[in-house]
Amino acid sequence: KKKPKEKPGQYWQVQRLHQNQTIVILGSGPSITQSQVNLCQNEIVISINNCFLLAPWSRYHYFCDKKWYSWWKDDARFKDYKGIRISHDVSENGILRVKGRSSPGLSDDPSIIHTGSNSGFQSLNIAYLMGAKRIILLGYDMKISPNGRAHWFGDHPDNVRSNYAGWLTNYSIAADQLNKQNVEVINCSQESALQCFQKMSLESALSLEQVRA
């Protein structure tokens, strides 16, 4: 496996490690299940935030901010993770820190990502900059579940609720950009308010990937 290069004390520049490959991104929406995640074990996977618990084998783990890190940095499961960690805010303990800014759409500049106000958007930008030709989204619900859950694990300790309406606008802009670049994005989330990408079952999307590989 190729490993990202990092110069100590500097921001990491996203490298095109997965040119024309498929990347699966695991979001924390309440519809994601362990059985779905298990189907992705042979794929290139970016797990977001608490999703590293569902996929401790994921090649990449992304989290945005210092607050989330403060909740998890001393947890044995966090310490035991063997993959590559990327963050917008944190650079200690071997974590690759990527610079971000709040701008419309996705960044084409490997030295920076656009934040889109959420870690799912940031992970999408990373997958795009890594050269992915197809990106599969799982757990991108972008809405509260019927039983009031915002995430598959419940709530973060601070109980902050998300601005889904603002997020959806950001994704719509990114979808147009991805279409123009011929990057296929498939939303395999079982329940999702994200309408700008084609929807498909996870099994079908992974089968499609195998056929075209």
Side-chain angles (χ1 to χ4, degrees), residues 172-185 196-197:
S172 293
I173 297 169
D176 291 338
Q177 183 179 353
L178 289 160
N179 281 332
K180 290 174 183 175
Q181 296 296 325
N182 294 315
V183 177
E184 184 180 22
V185 179
C196 56
F197 302 120

Side-chain angles (χ1 to χ4, degrees), residues 51-64:
C51 287
F52 84 94
L53 297 172
L54 300 177
W57 40 261
S58 59
R59 190 172 306 189
Y60 303 99
H61 175 224
Y62 180 82
F63 68 92
C64 178

Side-chain angles (χ1 to χ4, degrees), residues 16 18-25 106 124 127-128 131-138 174-188 196-201 204-213:
R16 297 185 78 80
H18 303 297
Q19 187 74 33
N20 298 323
Q21 292 181 281
T22 294
I23 295 179
V24 179
I25 309 178
L106 298 172
L124 177 63
Y128 170 62
K133 194 67 175 176
R134 179 181 292 124
I135 301 170
I136 296 174
L137 307 178
L138 195 60
D176 291 338
Q177 183 179 353
L178 289 160
N179 281 332
K180 290 174 183 175
Q181 296 296 325
N182 294 315
V183 177
E184 184 180 22
V185 179
I186 306 173
N187 183 4
C188 296
C196 56
F197 302 120
Q198 64 174 310
K199 292 188 176 180
M200 193 181 295
S201 71
S204 296
L206 293 176
S207 175
L208 187 64
E209 196 275 331
Q210 291 162 6
V211 168
R212 295 189 183 181

Side-chain angles (χ1 to χ4, degrees), residues 30-50:
S31 72
I32 196 171
T33 65
Q34 184 69 66
S35 59
Q36 286 181 313
V37 172
N38 291 346
L39 294 175
C40 303
Q41 288 198 54
N42 294 323
E43 310 298 326
I44 300 163
V45 171
I46 301 174
S47 57
I48 302 173
N49 293 336
N50 296 38

